[in-house]
Amino acid sequence: MTERFLAHIEDELAGIAADGLLKTERPIKGKQRARIDVGGREVLNLCANNYLGLADHPELAEAAEAALEESGYGMASVRFICGTGELHAALEARLAGYLGMEDAILFAACFDANGGVFEPLFGPEDAIISDALNHASLIDGIRLCKAKRYRYRTNDMADLEAQLIAARDARFRIIVTDGVFSMDGTIANLPEITRLAEVHDAMTLVDDCHATGFMGPRGAGTHAHYGVEVTLLTGTLGKALGGAMGGYVAGPTPLIAMLRQRARPYLFSNALPPAVVAASLRALDLVEAGDDLRAQLFENAAYWRAGLEARGFTLLPGAHPIIPVMLGEAQRAQDMAARLFELGVYVSGFFYPVVPKGQARIRTQMNAALTRADLDFGLAAFEQAGRELGVLAAAASRT
């Protein structure tokens, strides 16, 4: 049986490779910076979630080192046995205050937070109305819940209202959306979502992984960006807040209390290492005072977007630091990424099933640590690769 199963999996992998969809990984040596060492080559990194450039910040390393010395390597326990340290309680309180919520609960990752938030709170009598492009972790978490499931077209408020009406007989209803859709850089229409929630007596949950730290006043997220209130927020410590690991759910105290009692990823996963928690506390200090970093981030995003558009690349509209370069075919995205690596730029091609078929792309991401010289270097490499591979063939014929 085992040999037959292994042969089956090998056939599956061969099929993936034949379709040009085999994903690869390149080990990075050293720190996550604007320029990184990959296989002995220094390349410009344009695909990290390191939005504020804090991943290698010396103050975070110092905070982690001090916690390692004082509290050890790990807690060797789940939270409810003997895994809750003073640092964990402090970070949960700090996150809640930063996000403008009553309480917060930590998870090993936001994937775990999204996987654990629905099942303890909602049952068969309830309804979850979810955006069609929500992150896989939200989709999986909703599947684990027995609530009725409704889906609306991305940012389509008329369809959202239709689904709310279709679910009107449910005991409780909650609208679930990414704050920023990670593949497109599109920001959810929270003003209209929260208005419809009020009209139809529904709650709201926003996954703010690609917003916390840099969207809105103090970087508090998409709800702060729009000045609206939501019921629950989920998010990560692994992107703008230092880039390590950890996730959270923030919201009303009774809901967070129920998650502490019933959320399985919380109950059955080890507590976050003290070094990560201490560094995250320091990261929040830097982020709250980081208006200069946020300004640099969005200045870089505007410059990069304008440069790509001027060279003839097809982009999705927006102003977020996620700036996808649309290429259509999976093989073209892979070829473009490979050629850019040869030219000294590190990016990844995204294709089905990560994005819909026919919408393959290279998702570039800006961060505050990138200099103007870095961006000009990247733009020149994109232009060269684009012309060589025929992506900019039409533009080249006009010059």
Side-chain angles (χ1 to χ4, degrees):
M1 176 67 75
T2 301
E3 290 182 359
R4 197 154 52 84
F5 182 65
L6 291 174
H8 163 71
I9 295 300
E10 287 174 351
D11 287 343
E12 291 283 315
L13 285 170
I16 292 172
D19 288 340
L21 300 177
L22 195 63
K23 299 171 183 63
T24 58
E25 300 173 2
R26 292 190 177 106
I28 295 171
K29 180 181 179 181
K31 297 178 180 179
Q32 181 70 272
R33 290 174 167 166
R35 291 181 179 267
I36 54 176
D37 184 329
V38 182
R41 296 190 57 200
E42 183 184 82
V43 290
L44 179 65
N45 187 358
L46 295 182
C47 58
N49 295 315
N50 188 22
Y51 289 109
L52 298 178
L54 298 180
D56 69 332
H57 197 288
E59 291 188 31
L60 302 192
E62 290 168 7
E65 185 176 356
L68 191 65
E69 180 67 25
E70 180 177 343
S71 302
Y73 177 61
M75 299 304 292
S77 176
V78 299
R79 290 284 300 272
F80 80 93
I81 299 179
C82 60
T84 296
E86 291 180 346
L87 285 170
H88 295 91
L91 179 55
E92 287 171 335
R94 183 80 170 81
L95 277 168
Y98 171 62
L99 299 169
M101 302 300 238
E102 289 182 3
D103 202 355
I105 179 174
L106 291 171
F107 289 80
C110 191
F111 206 108
D112 288 333
N114 288 339
V117 68
F118 297 103
E119 190 272 337
L121 300 178
F122 302 101
E125 310 90 346
D126 305 318
I128 298 173
I129 302 99
S130 177
D131 190 288
L133 281 187
N134 277 342
H135 191 267
S137 58
L138 288 171
I139 294 169
D140 285 358
I142 293 168
R143 284 173 176 165
L144 291 171
C145 176
K146 294 181 179 178
K148 296 179 180 65
R149 300 193 291 269
Y150 297 81
R151 188 171 70 167
Y152 66 95
R153 291 185 295 273
T154 297
N155 255 353
D156 185 328
M157 297 299 100
D159 194 28
L160 170 57
E161 185 160 35
Q163 301 308 315
L164 283 164
I165 293 170
R168 61 182 173 272
D169 294 332
R171 180 183 60 172
F172 301 116
R173 291 173 292 173
I174 186 165
I175 304 166
V176 177
T177 184
D178 283 7
V180 175
F181 296 95
S182 60
M183 290 299 109
D184 297 344
T186 304
I187 304 171
N189 186 357
L190 290 191
E192 186 63 9
I193 289 171
T194 53
R195 186 192 72 81
L196 287 172
E198 183 174 359
V199 168
H200 293 276
D201 192 26
M203 296 171 286
T204 48
L205 181 149
V206 176
D207 175 337
D208 237 10
C209 282
H210 288 276
T212 305
F214 58 93
M215 294 291 294
R218 300 181 303 114
T222 49
H223 68 300
H225 171 72
Y226 284 120
V228 299
E229 294 183 0
V230 298
T231 311
L232 287 166
L233 281 172
T234 68
T236 182
L237 309 174
K239 292 183 171 59
L241 301 184
M245 62 181 296
Y248 59 83
V249 180
T253 298
L255 302 188
I256 302 304
M258 179 59 81
L259 295 179
R260 291 191 193 281
Q261 300 302 313
R262 297 287 178 83
R264 293 163 78 87
Y266 176 83
L267 291 171
F268 300 112
S269 296
N270 259 23
L272 283 171
V276 170
V277 179
S280 298
L281 280 163
R282 184 68 188 110
L284 282 170
D285 293 337
L286 296 173
V287 165
E288 278 205 283
D291 285 346
D292 57 333
L293 294 176
R294 283 183 281 276
Q296 186 63 58
L297 170 64
F298 283 97
E299 180 180 318
N300 285 350
Y303 184 82
W304 178 252
R305 176 178 288 277
L308 290 173
E309 288 177 336
R311 286 160 175 81
F313 286 99
T314 300
L315 309 180
L316 294 178
H320 190 273
I322 292 174
I323 304 172
V325 180
M326 305 303 291
L327 299 170
E329 300 174 1
Q331 191 62 54
R332 175 170 284 185
Q334 285 183 311
D335 292 344
M336 184 80 172
R339 181 60 181 130
L340 284 165
F341 185 75
E342 293 172 351
L343 295 171
V345 174
Y346 188 28
V347 291
S348 294
F350 287 75
F351 34 81
Y352 181 83
V354 178
V355 296
K357 287 185 177 180
Q359 296 184 30
R361 67 198 67 183
I362 286 175
R363 183 184 71 175
T364 63
Q365 292 172 266
M366 293 294 99
N367 77 65
L370 293 166
T371 66
R372 184 60 57 89
D374 290 331
L375 298 178
D376 287 339
F377 176 85
L379 288 169
F382 261 84
E383 182 170 16
Q384 181 176 340
R387 293 190 185 282
E388 290 176 357
L389 297 174
V391 174
L392 296 181
S397 67
R398 294 195 297 269
T399 60

